[in-house]
Amino acid sequence: MRRVSWFNLTSLTFGFAFLYLPMVVLVVYSFNSNKLVTVWAGFSTKWYGELFRNEAFLDAAWVTLRVALLSSTMATVLGTMAAYVLVRGGKFFGRTLFSGTLYAPLVMPDVILGLSLLLLFISIGLDRGMVTIVLAHTTFAMSYVAVVVSSRLVSFDRALEEAALDLGCTPLDAFRSVTLPIIAPAVISGWLLGFTLSLDDLVIASFTSGPSSTTLPIKIFSAVRLGVSPEINALSSILIGIVTVGVLTFSISSKRAIMKRMREENRAET
Amino acid sequence: MRRAVLILLPYTWLAALFLVPFLIVIKISLSDTALAIPPYTPTLDLTQGWEGIRTWWAGLDFENFVFLTEDDLYWKAYLSSLKIAVISTLITLSIGYPIAYGMARAPEEWRPTLMMLVILPFWTSFLIRVYAWKAILSKEGFLNQILLATGLIDDPLIILNTNTAVYIGIVYTYLPFMILPLYAALEKLDGALLEAAEDLGCSRLSAFWLVTVPLSKQGIIAGCFLVFIPVVGEFVIPALLGGSETLMIGKVLWEEFFSNRDWPVASAVAVILLAILIIPIVLFLKNEEKQREAEG
C-alpha cells in the first residue's frame, strides 16, 4: 500500500474541513436558546418545537414533498427512456439535437429555465400551482436521471441483453429481466437525485408556483433574505440530518449489494 | 413501432417544455410592456386568422434590446457576472484539484468514504449551504467571534454583503461539481505513467505538469464548465450573500421580472444571457459527448 503523502493529507483535511464546517456550525447553533443566532446562551431544543407549531412551514413542506415525489418519479421514467434511447437506440433523426436538449438543463442557469417555463404556462393558459411546478421539475430532473442511467448503460456488457434476445425473450422481456435489474442502482440514484433537486429548488419553483402553492425553499428564502433566524437553523439541521441518513443508508446498502454479487460470482466460478 | 414510442415520448416532452419555452422567451423579448394580463403586447390572437398573425407580427420589434444597450446597468451586470464566474471558477479549480488529486491517490479502501464525503454536501440543500455562510460571515458571526477572541483582529471584518462573501459562497457551493469530474479523470490515471516519467528524468513537479494535468484535461474542462455556466446566471448566492456593490445578471433578471414586472425586458435579458452562454454550453455538451464515446 502506498503511503499517503503529507501534501495529499493536508489538502484532503483542509478541503473537507471547508466543506463541512459551515454545516456543523449551522447544526450546533440550531440548539442555541438565544434568539440572537450567533450569541450562544445555552442548549435548547425550543426552535425545533417552534418549527413544528408553524403551520405555514408545515404546509409548504407538504407541498414540497408531494411535488418532489411526483416529479422525481416522472423524471425517472422519462430520463431512463431517454438514456436508453441514446445509448442503445442507434442512429435516428435528430439524435444530436435530442442529446443536446437532454443535457443542456444540467448547466442552464435556473433563472432562464424558470422564466421560459413560466412564459410557456402563461401562454397556454395553464394556472400556476402544483401542476406547473411538477412539470418544471420533471423537465430538469430528467436530465440528471439520464446522465446517471446512461453512464451505467454504457459500462455494462451488451452481450447479456443479446443473449436474452437469442434465448427467445421479447425486447420488453429482455429489458425487464436483464437490463433493468442491472441498471437498477443507477435508476434509484437518479430518482433520489431528482427528488433532492426538487426539494431544493428555489428559482424555478418561484417562477412556476402560484399563490396557493408555496414550497419550502420559497418560504426559507423569504425568511432568510433579511437575516439569520433560529427556526431556519432548526429546519436546516433537520434537512441536513435527513440527507445524511439517506446517503449513508443508500451507500451502505449498495456496497452490501455489490459485495453480495461479488460473492455469488465467485461461487459461480468455483 | 415500440422504438418510435420510446424515442418520441422523452423527445416530445423536451421539445414542449424546453425548446418551445425558449421560442416564447424570444417572442416576448420582442414585445412591449403593457398594463394588462399577460403584461405585454401584442398577444397572438388566432381567432382572427391571418389578420391576427399579421398584426401580432407587426407589433414585434427590438425596442427592449435597444433599451438594454442604452442603460449601462445591464452591460455592467453582464460583465461583472462574467468576471465573477471566471474568477470563482479559477479559485474552485485551484482548491478542487488538490482535493481530487488527494482522493485519487488515497489508499483504495478510503476512496468510497472520501467519495461519499464529497457527495454528501452535493446532495444537501444548496439554499441551506449558502444560508450557513450568512451566520458565519456576518459582523457578529462565527468567523469574527473567533478572530476577535484569538486577538488576530481588533475590529470585526465586514465580509457579508460584499463581493468577497459572494466568492466564498460560490466556491463553497460549487466545489463538489468541480471535484467529482476531476476525481473521475484522476482516478483512471495509470500510476506507471508517472513512474516512467520520473525514471526518464522528470522531476515530480514536471511529471505532474507534463503527465497528470494533460491526462486529466477532460475532467478539468467538465468541472470548469459545470461551475462557470451556472454561476454566470446565479441568483441565490448574490441575493443572500452579496450587497449593493454586487452586480449579477441573474439578480437583475429576477428583479426585472418580480419587482418591476417588466416581462419583455426580463425576457430580453434572458435572451442575451443565453446568447453569451450558448458557446460554453455547446462546448460543454461536446466534451460530454466525447467522454461518453471514449467510455462506450
Side-chain angles (χ1 to χ4, degrees):
Chain A
M1 185 50 50
R2 220 183 7 246
R3 214 163 42 86
V4 185
S5 77
W6 276 110
F7 176 78
N8 289 344
L9 204 59
T10 319
S11 57
L12 285 178
T13 316
F14 276 100
F16 286 112
F18 178 59
L19 279 177
Y20 280 88
L21 265 181
M23 285 194 266
V24 172
V25 170
L26 189 72
V27 174
V28 169
Y29 275 87
S30 73
F31 294 104
N32 182 4
S33 63
N34 202 333
K35 176 100 188 140
L36 291 165
V37 177
T38 48
V39 183
W40 186 262
F43 181 86
S44 151
T45 53
K46 71 173 176 190
W47 302 115
Y48 289 86
E50 299 262 327
L51 187 67
F52 284 106
R53 280 189 294 276
N54 189 331
E55 292 272 336
F57 273 120
L58 292 181
D59 286 345
W62 179 227
V63 171
T64 315
L65 199 63
R66 279 183 298 169
V67 167
L69 280 172
L70 275 170
S71 60
S72 57
T73 308
M74 281 158 66
T76 305
V77 175
L78 287 166
T80 307
M81 283 169 81
Y84 191 80
V85 163
L86 274 183
V87 178
R88 292 278 190 271
K91 293 239 180 303
F92 58 87
F93 178 73
R95 190 178 182 279
T96 316
L97 181 69
F98 182 54
S99 83
T101 40
L102 184 60
Y103 294 115
L106 293 181
V107 285
M108 195 65 78
D110 291 346
V111 281
I112 298 187
L113 284 177
L115 178 69
S116 65
L117 281 162
L118 166 75
L119 295 177
L120 170 80
F121 297 141
I122 299 274
S123 52
I124 57 173
L126 194 59
D127 273 339
R128 280 182 281 168
M130 251 186 69
V131 177
T132 49
I133 310 177
V134 170
L135 290 174
H137 282 183
T138 305
T139 308
F140 83 93
M142 76 183 266
S143 303
Y144 287 86
V145 175
V147 169
V148 177
V149 172
S150 68
S151 67
R152 185 81 189 104
L153 274 172
V154 164
S155 69
F156 98 84
D157 192 357
R158 224 186 147 161
L160 292 172
E161 280 170 358
E162 281 158 8
L165 292 174
D166 286 347
L167 292 169
C169 269
T170 65
L172 194 65
D173 277 338
F175 180 78
R176 228 178 13 219
S177 53
V178 178
T179 316
L180 200 55
I182 295 177
I183 62 168
V187 174
I188 296 169
S189 10
W191 185 87
L192 285 170
L193 192 55
F195 185 77
T196 47
L197 285 168
S198 168
L199 281 188
D200 192 24
D201 166 65
L202 165 75
V203 174
I204 295 170
S206 299
F207 277 101
T208 52
S209 70
S212 61
S213 54
T214 307
T215 65
L216 206 49
I218 299 177
K219 266 261 168 306
I220 296 177
F221 183 71
S222 60
V224 303
R225 199 159 193 184
L226 300 172
V228 281
S229 106
E231 269 184 316
I232 300 293
N233 276 7
L235 178 61
S236 308
S237 305
I238 293 174
L239 293 175
I240 292 174
I242 293 172
V243 170
T244 311
V245 171
V247 170
L248 281 177
T249 327
F250 182 68
S251 62
I252 290 171
S253 66
S254 64
K255 205 172 167 183
R256 281 219 182 108
I258 292 170
M259 301 276 268
K260 195 176 149 217
R261 202 161 60 215
M262 275 163 67
R263 267 203 306 275
E264 277 165 5
E265 276 166 16
N266 282 341
R267 212 178 299 148
E269 275 164 22
T270 50
Chain B
M1 180 50 213
R2 218 176 250 142
R3 179 164 172 269
V5 173
L6 205 57
I7 294 172
L8 276 177
L9 193 62
Y11 206 170
T12 318
W13 183 285
L14 283 172
L17 285 128
F18 189 72
L19 291 180
V20 171
F22 283 126
L23 298 179
I24 297 175
V25 172
I26 293 172
K27 187 206 101 181
I28 291 176
S29 72
L30 301 173
S31 310
D32 295 323
T33 317
L35 279 172
I37 298 169
Y40 53 84
T41 176
T43 45
L44 183 56
D45 188 1
L46 282 177
T47 51
Q48 290 176 18
W50 262 116
E51 199 49 42
I53 296 174
R54 281 239 299 279
T55 45
W56 169 75
W57 182 254
L60 298 179
D61 54 48
F62 288 96
E63 216 170 278
N64 298 309
F65 292 94
V66 174
F67 171 69
L68 291 192
T69 54
E70 280 167 355
D71 193 329
D72 57 359
L73 164 79
Y74 298 100
W75 62 262
K76 273 188 184 150
Y78 283 115
L79 285 182
S80 130
S81 303
L82 285 171
K83 188 184 126 202
I84 290 176
V86 169
I87 296 176
S88 45
T89 305
L90 292 177
I91 302 174
T92 317
L93 178 65
S94 52
I95 296 179
Y97 204 95
I99 301 175
Y101 187 81
M103 285 170 67
R105 303 270 112 188
E108 212 154 322
E109 66 268 22
W110 289 17
R111 285 187 210 160
T113 316
L114 292 174
M115 184 76 178
M116 207 189 64
L117 283 172
V118 180
I119 290 177
L120 194 64
F122 178 84
W123 288 78
T124 312
S125 169
F126 187 83
L127 188 58
I128 287 174
R129 286 187 296 140
V130 177
Y131 165 67
W133 282 99
K134 239 182 138 91
I136 295 173
L137 298 177
S138 71
K139 204 173 155 205
E140 309 81 28
F142 192 67
L143 183 70
N144 274 323
Q145 282 183 21
I146 289 183
L147 292 177
L148 286 171
T150 51
L152 281 171
I153 52 168
D154 296 322
D155 299 305
L157 298 172
I158 306 293
I159 305 177
L160 190 65
N161 302 329
T162 66
N163 278 347
T164 316
V166 173
Y167 283 118
I168 295 175
I170 292 173
V171 171
Y172 178 69
T173 43
Y174 283 91
L175 194 57
F177 290 91
M178 182 63 88
I179 296 178
L180 291 174
L182 284 176
Y183 171 73
L186 287 169
E187 206 218 355
K188 278 185 281 189
L189 196 100
D190 190 351
L193 292 172
L194 286 175
E195 282 167 26
E198 280 175 37
D199 286 347
L200 293 169
C202 257
S203 71
R204 286 183 74 169
L205 197 64
S206 56
F208 173 78
W209 285 111
L210 293 172
V211 179
T212 312
V213 171
L215 284 175
S216 59
K217 201 179 100 200
Q218 292 231 308
I220 297 176
I221 296 173
C224 286
F225 280 136
L226 278 174
V227 176
F228 175 80
I229 303 170
V231 168
V232 175
E234 183 55 55
F235 164 73
V236 176
I237 298 171
L240 286 183
L241 301 177
S244 47
E245 60 160 13
T246 315
L247 202 52
M248 284 189 82
I249 200 67
K251 206 166 154 236
V252 170
L253 194 160
W254 178 284
E255 272 152 17
E256 215 53 76
F257 187 85
F258 286 103
S259 313
N260 299 349
R261 300 199 60 75
D262 193 334
W263 293 16
V265 167
S267 303
V269 170
V271 169
I272 295 183
L273 178 56
L274 197 64
I276 294 173
L277 289 180
I278 199 84
I279 295 167
I281 288 175
V282 168
L283 289 175
F284 167 77
L285 294 174
K286 283 229 168 89
N287 185 56
E288 291 292 291
E289 188 77 38
K290 215 157 77 186
Q291 236 166 328
R292 264 196 301 281
E293 269 161 22
E295 280 163 15

